[in-house]
Amino acid sequence: MATMKTRPKAAAVADLPAKTYEGLAPEQLIQIYRLMYQSRCIDDREILLKRQQRVFFQISAAGHEALLVAAGMVLKPGYDWFYPYYRDRTLCLALGMTSEEMLMSAVGAADDPNSGARQMPSHWGSKKLNIVTQSSPTGTQFVQAIGCAEAGRYFSRRPQAAQKRQGDYSEFKDVVFHGDEITYVSTGDGATSEGEFWESMSAASAKKLPVLFLCEDNEYAISVPVEVQTPGGNISKLVANFPNFHFAEVDGCDVLASYAALKEAAEYVRAGHGPAFVHGHVIRPYSHSLSDDEKLYRSEEERKAELQRDPIPRFQMFLLREGILDEEGITRLEKQIDREVQEAADRALATPAPTVDSVMNYVYSDVIDPTSSVFATEPKFGKPERGKLGGEKTMADLINACLRDEMKRDERIVIFGEDVADCSRDQYLEQKLVKGKGGVFKLTGGLQCDFGSDRVFNAPLAEASIVGHAIGMGTRGLKPVVEIQFFDYIWPAMMQLRDEMPIIRWRSNNAFSCPMVLRVAIGGYLTGGSIYHSQSGESIFTHTPGARVVFPSNALDANGLLRTAIRCDDPVLFLEHKRLYRETYGRSPYPGPEYMIPFGKARIVQEGSDLTVVTYGAVVPRSLQAAQRLERETGVKVELIDLRTLNPYDWDTIATSVRKTNRVIVAHEDMLSWGFGAEIAARIADELFDELDAPVKRVAAKDVFVAYAPVLEDVILPQPEDLYQAMKSLAEY
Ligand SMILES: Cc1ncc(C[n+]2csc(CCOP(=O)(O)OP(=O)(O)O)c2C)c(N)n1
Ligand SMILES: [Mg+2]
């Protein structure tokens, strides 16, 4: 006869206890155990395959399973949005990613849905599940998650903005929103030290955004313990005063406690009360990654104590204790999962690797080509306004006019940046107490008044956030046209601009993209602009595949190129030279609301037969001045080429001109060494060597920052006199 101490027999589903646990039925608890065990099993399988050199990197979710399965149970795949961390395997399984899909990523298979074998394993991505392509930098996910949440809110308030139009990016950008979706973003304890974590907490708090932050605190960031990362060793204490948040701190190795905490947090966020921050204490029993050996920095005692908290045996004990599964049931379940994972690994290993000719696929949009003739439209100049000359709109006027036209045409456009709004305190505008600012250079003047404070608004002084929010919005289908106030201050956003914005499409194998425009005031020649208001540096961005780089020299080009930038399907860095904003040179009448110039098409400013000058930006008018003087004095005719866009650039026009003149100067305002000119000069030397009658010359700034005193500024930046001398000596060569 069975005693009271005997464990119950393997329960058939029908025999399961009727009791629920934090609202979870026994079948759900078995499913949770299944997912946790499956997650660990895939890690173990990957480790085995790594030892056999059939996978090439491994980082595990071990120890994080309970917290992450709980997150997966409370959130909705394909409905909520996910910006996961690399330890989120169990979340992804709970959302519906399969073992095979994960293992395809590990072995580098073409059909890996995470990245098409472009990223390391555990860099999660799934279009159908709304898991937004994850990258390796710890911390870039936060500000993008904010933009994603803002986009959801925007579409639910302006549902008509989701409409598509033929012939621009929106035709290919589906928009899905529900009004109560949550954006989930997770982090390790270490990554909370990144500045963008704090920027995103501020933004979520200030705007009461529906974001669920999950901190997976395993007390280590590789070998650095939490007390070194986090003053006092507990992140919950530090964030506790952010307004509008729901906070919870929980044992993340306890399934039911994690589930209860995350459920409550998700309910708060879904109801629109604001963001939530859940801090789960977890363990990391498998070292940081397979490349790390934690015995080098953790004591034996500490590691042993940690193992006592392992969520998998702990939850197994719970299921046994509650009579939900018996030992036989557990063994059966585990064996089944072992077999499934092994079979999934075999299938993954048998699937083909990507073909080597695919490497350049999806660097840029494959559906909209901004160099195509679709973007070549004729200007339609209206009648000059009464009492005014026809050609007198400045570059500033025509950029503003383009923004206005496009905002009218496309409700998906939002504009933000530092000081870009007319006035953040709307009541002052409503009561007509103030006129409004509209940008430090007034380029966005009047747009907030015309289109509303939800479409044109000031951003906090945080450049990484400006770019990161735009990326998140672009991913969801908005078209952010954002501003960096001065190129000199673009650098806090560099991680977003180098490792995120340009590469989201490529690294996700075209599952995600973030078409957007980043307008940046650039350049010197300001008299007193000094080091921090005069910088150029465009070659840093042309050296980053995936980002289009545009640099107009006059009002008409700025108008037409900005329209192309806004309507195309790629991220565009739109560089606006401050000195040219209101210059007399290059003014133009308004060309109408459909005027566009394709990328990669240079403008021949003046034709010539003796010498070619290739340049762009503020060096265009300076070169023209020098060329006109040279022709007056010597009769030498210079062909002057304004590239207008730097990536792509118009090689055909350069080559045709060099074949004609056999002499060439590449000139730019940025420093000489490692600059854009070096690339063009090298290509000319390589491909047009036989056409040259003289060495390729460069004219550029000295290799130093711009100084304040006007005499120093003049000598540092290339002047018409320098251009004249270079042209003269090259013509005489
Ligand atoms: C910006 C950046 N710096 C450094 C690294 C290298 N790195 C990868 S993971 C990691 C530690 C992260 O620790 P934590 O956030 O606590 O996550 P855990 O690995 O402990 O889950 C570091 C330094 C990186 N990927 N990105
Ligand atoms: Mg950690």
Side-chain angles (χ1 to χ4, degrees):
M1 208 179 112
T3 67
M4 289 299 284
K5 280 184 188 150
T6 309
R7 286 198 180 119
K9 283 243 177 266
V13 172
D15 307 335
L16 288 171
K19 194 173 159 192
T20 61
Y21 304 80
E22 300 292 351
L24 291 166
E27 307 89 87
Q28 288 175 292
L29 298 177
I30 295 173
Q31 173 61 6
I32 285 174
Y33 185 71
R34 181 175 229 291
L35 290 164
M36 290 169 68
Y37 185 82
Q38 185 184 359
S39 178
R40 187 74 62 96
C41 194
I42 299 171
D43 277 323
D44 291 339
R45 178 61 48 180
E46 283 187 2
I47 289 166
L48 200 75
L49 292 170
K50 170 81 169 63
R51 300 223 155 97
Q52 298 168 354
Q53 295 180 16
R54 303 185 83 177
V55 316
F56 318 102
F57 178 76
Q58 212 285 328
I59 193 154
S60 87
H64 292 227
E65 293 97 342
L67 186 65
L68 274 295
V69 77
M73 297 297 283
V74 302
L75 297 169
K76 304 186 199 180
Y79 186 103
D80 294 324
W81 288 78
F82 300 88
Y83 285 80
Y85 213 47
Y86 46 81
R87 300 224 192 266
D88 288 12
R89 185 190 297 288
T90 330
L91 167 81
C92 295
L93 287 172
L95 294 177
M97 199 178 285
T98 66
S99 303
E100 188 174 343
E101 288 172 328
M102 292 186 175
L103 286 154
M104 279 200 287
S105 172
V107 302
D111 289 340
D112 154 34
N114 295 280
S115 78
R118 286 169 171 187
Q119 293 214 80
M120 290 171 152
S122 294
H123 287 52
W124 312 112
S126 165
K127 195 179 165 88
K128 75 171 187 278
L129 301 174
N130 286 353
I131 302 173
V132 181
T133 171
Q134 188 205 324
S135 60
S136 297
T138 52
T140 45
Q141 71 275 29
F142 299 119
V143 285
Q144 293 175 27
I146 297 298
C148 172
E150 285 191 272
R153 175 179 286 177
Y154 183 89
F155 281 121
S156 56
R157 291 181 181 169
R158 289 181 180 258
Q160 67 284 3
Q163 275 168 12
K164 294 179 166 193
R165 280 170 312 279
Q166 290 242 307
D168 71 19
Y169 75 93
S170 69
E171 186 180 345
F172 305 98
K173 201 73 177 163
D174 297 331
V175 170
V176 182
F177 60 96
H178 307 283
D180 69 345
E181 65 267 38
I182 293 174
T183 301
Y184 160 96
V185 61
S186 56
T187 175
D189 45 295
T192 63
S193 297
E194 296 282 1
E196 289 176 33
F197 167 73
W198 298 94
E199 290 183 22
S200 68
M201 291 291 286
S202 287
S205 171
K207 293 196 168 179
K208 281 180 89 167
L209 289 169
V211 181
L212 173 56
F213 292 80
L214 179 64
C215 177
E216 306 166 35
D217 183 353
N218 57 21
E219 297 184 13
Y220 275 94
I222 308 186
S223 68
V224 183
V226 66
E227 67 275 15
V228 175
Q229 299 284 352
T230 306
N234 185 322
I235 189 70
S236 281
K237 294 218 167 87
L238 301 190
V239 297
N241 281 331
F242 276 108
N244 300 320
F245 262 90
H246 169 88
F247 292 105
E249 188 175 358
V250 66
D251 177 358
C253 293
D254 179 334
V255 171
L256 293 182
S258 299
Y259 178 78
L262 280 156
K263 186 160 170 275
E264 195 183 356
E267 278 164 8
Y268 177 89
V269 178
R270 211 178 288 289
H273 299 315
F277 182 89
V278 177
H279 177 193
H281 293 278
V282 294
I283 59 163
R284 196 198 67 180
Y286 280 16
S287 289
H288 171 72
S289 72
L290 217 53
S291 322
D292 173 49
D293 177 6
E294 66 178 7
K295 291 196 201 99
L296 297 173
Y297 52 86
R298 296 184 81 177
S299 73
E300 173 88 20
E301 192 189 350
E302 181 182 310
R303 292 190 303 113
K304 271 199 180 141
E306 188 185 71
L307 284 181
Q308 300 304 309
R309 296 173 52 214
D310 190 326
I312 294 189
R314 193 163 149 192
F315 195 51
Q316 190 188 97
M317 289 303 293
F318 166 82
L319 294 176
L320 289 168
R321 206 170 51 234
E322 292 296 316
I324 295 168
L325 280 177
D326 64 7
E327 273 167 3
E328 205 185 312
I330 285 181
T331 309
R332 197 166 349 111
L333 185 70
E334 292 182 350
K335 275 203 172 139
Q336 189 192 353
I337 295 167
D338 289 342
R339 197 171 52 247
E340 282 170 13
V341 169
Q342 181 170 355
E343 286 166 5
D346 292 344
R347 283 197 304 276
L349 283 164
T351 60
T355 55
V356 292
D357 60 1
S358 66
V359 286
M360 299 305 288
N361 290 354
Y362 311 127
V363 177
Y364 301 100
S365 170
D366 61 329
V367 288
I368 293 190
D369 175 6
T371 70
S372 82
S373 58
V374 175
F375 291 96
T377 60
E378 290 301 315
K380 293 205 170 87
F381 299 118
K383 285 208 185 100
E385 289 165 50
R386 197 143 32 119
K388 285 191 178 172
L389 293 174
E392 65 179 19
K393 296 282 182 214
T394 64
M395 186 193 270
D397 293 334
L398 289 194
I399 288 174
N400 181 274
C402 177
L403 293 171
R404 189 177 299 276
D405 291 341
E406 291 304 299
M407 288 196 82
K408 207 179 293 170
R409 177 183 174 275
D410 180 359
E411 207 174 336
R412 294 194 190 187
I413 296 175
V414 290
I415 289 183
F416 55 96
E418 292 152 18
D419 301 289
V420 301
D422 290 318
C423 178
S424 285
R425 294 184 172 162
D426 301 64
Q427 70 273 22
Y428 297 161
L429 291 171
E430 282 154 20
Q431 295 162 24
K432 302 209 179 335
L433 299 177
V434 298
K435 218 172 124 215
K437 187 164 174 75
V440 292
F441 296 104
K442 308 249 180 319
L443 273 276
T444 47
L447 298 178
Q448 178 196 354
C449 290
D450 288 359
F451 297 100
S453 307
D454 61 336
R455 294 192 67 195
V456 183
F457 50 91
N458 286 326
L461 211 173
E463 288 76 8
S465 285
I466 293 170
V467 176
H469 293 184
I471 294 171
M473 291 176 175
T475 308
R476 288 288 297 269
L478 281 179
K479 176 65 89 159
V481 181
V482 301
E483 182 178 299
I484 294 286
Q485 200 163 68
F486 291 92
F487 185 86
D488 316 65
Y489 311 129
I490 202 168
W491 313 116
M494 199 59 201
M495 183 76 98
Q496 296 290 341
L497 287 172
R498 170 84 188 170
D499 284 355
E500 298 293 333
M501 180 190 83
I503 204 173
I504 279 184
R505 188 189 291 277
W506 188 83
R507 78 174 187 223
S508 67
N509 206 17
N510 209 28
F512 294 95
S513 65
C514 61
M516 57 180 269
V517 180
L518 187 63
R519 296 179 37 251
V520 190
I522 193 169
Y525 298 112
L526 302 179
T527 310
S530 188
I531 309 168
Y532 302 108
H533 297 83
S534 305
Q535 287 177 34
S536 301
E538 55 277 8
S539 63
I540 293 168
F541 297 98
T542 53
H543 195 61
T544 300
R548 305 290 191 183
V549 181
V550 180
F551 202 151
S553 73
N554 61 75
L556 190 62
D557 286 355
N559 183 281
L561 289 166
L562 182 57
R563 196 166 278 106
T564 304
I566 290 173
R567 295 190 190 180
C568 86
D569 196 30
D570 293 318
V572 181
L573 195 65
F574 194 85
L575 302 174
E576 302 170 359
H577 201 291
K578 305 188 278 284
R579 181 61 204 262
L580 299 178
Y581 272 150
R582 293 182 169 82
E583 197 96 314
T584 315
Y585 168 82
R587 293 189 182 190
S588 165
Y590 168 64
E594 291 299 324
Y595 181 54
M596 287 182 285
I597 300 172
F599 291 174
K601 300 285 179 285
R603 186 173 70 100
I604 297 181
V605 181
Q606 69 162 34
E607 293 195 1
S609 47
D610 302 322
L611 166 70
T612 300
V613 173
V614 179
T615 188
Y616 52 89
V619 180
V620 173
R622 284 160 182 76
S623 297
L624 184 61
Q625 200 184 326
Q628 286 170 344
R629 177 179 160 203
L630 188 68
E631 186 170 349
R632 253 191 340 265
E633 291 178 3
T634 67
V636 167
K637 284 190 161 45
V638 172
E639 179 141 298
L640 179 57
I641 296 175
D642 177 358
L643 286 177
R644 309 200 284 194
T645 65
L646 307 183
N647 179 22
Y649 66 90
D650 187 347
W651 174 248
D652 288 349
T653 296
I654 297 171
T656 306
S657 182
V658 172
R659 285 196 186 99
K660 178 168 67 170
T661 66
N662 316 112
R663 287 174 161 76
V664 59
I665 292 172
V666 190
H668 52 64
E669 178 182 337
D670 196 6
M671 295 169 203
L672 180 79
S673 301
W674 303 283
F676 191 75
E679 172 61 28
I680 304 292
R683 188 160 174 197
I684 293 169
D686 181 1
E687 296 183 31
L688 301 172
F689 184 74
D690 294 336
E691 308 287 344
L692 293 171
D693 288 343
V696 184
K697 286 283 168 204
R698 285 178 295 158
V699 177
K702 293 196 172 16
D703 289 336
V704 68
F705 285 87
V706 175
Y708 174 69
V711 285
L712 299 180
E713 178 184 298
D714 283 354
V715 80
I716 289 166
L717 293 177
Q719 303 298 334
E721 178 66 23
D722 303 315
L723 291 153
Y724 168 82
Q725 292 300 342
M727 290 175 196
K728 187 159 178 288
S729 74
L730 194 66
E732 287 166 357
Y733 182 91

